[in-house]
Amino acid sequence: MAKALFALTLWLCTSLSVLAATPQKKPPTWGELSQEQQQVLAPLAVDWDNLEPERKRKWIGIAKRYPKMKPDEQARVQRRMQAWAKLTPEQRRQARENYKRIAKVPPEERGKLGEQWAEYQALPPNERQNRAPPQTPAKKKK
């Protein structure tokens, strides 16, 4: 699960744009979403009405971009959304913290981290079990 959480965090860091901090109207309930949005966001249906407004806006933004994505990108979004929906609230909190930590890493180090993750993912499953996934740089203590 830690590996999936790390992959999800890395994806969030590199794939999603940051939302503007301007006040916006209240996001829709599940029933207020269009059929297309409900179809794209189906893995989140159970939790939708309990999500924070900021999270709903993020997912709605993804649903808007979804039709323009290539089929392989759409499949990746669906897999990641399903993985996210399966996480516990604590695991989601940890993923968000990891995202914030990775976002603070300089781009050149972030690129190295992505390369290390790709190398790790390319290992046979039995070798992955014997190795820890690549770690983000730890905060330096003063």
Side-chain angles (χ1 to χ4, degrees), residues 24-90:
Q24 298 177 5
K25 69 177 186 169
K26 183 180 171 192
T29 64
W30 183 258
E32 295 170 336
L33 292 174
S34 70
Q35 280 293 107
E36 185 177 275
Q37 289 171 323
Q38 287 183 0
Q39 187 174 12
V40 171
L41 301 172
L44 304 173
V46 173
D47 294 325
W48 184 261
D49 290 330
N50 297 320
L51 293 176
E52 298 169 8
E54 178 182 330
R55 308 269 177 247
K56 287 182 180 182
R57 283 190 278 278
K58 179 194 73 137
W59 289 115
I60 289 171
I62 290 170
K64 285 180 183 176
R65 293 190 306 272
Y66 190 86
K68 295 176 184 163
M69 294 178 186
K70 296 177 183 173
D72 61 322
E73 292 172 317
Q74 290 178 343
R76 186 176 63 240
V77 166
Q78 286 297 315
R79 281 192 312 273
R80 300 245 168 99
M81 199 179 319
Q82 290 166 2
W84 182 258
K86 291 177 185 176
L87 296 177
T88 65
E90 176 58 25

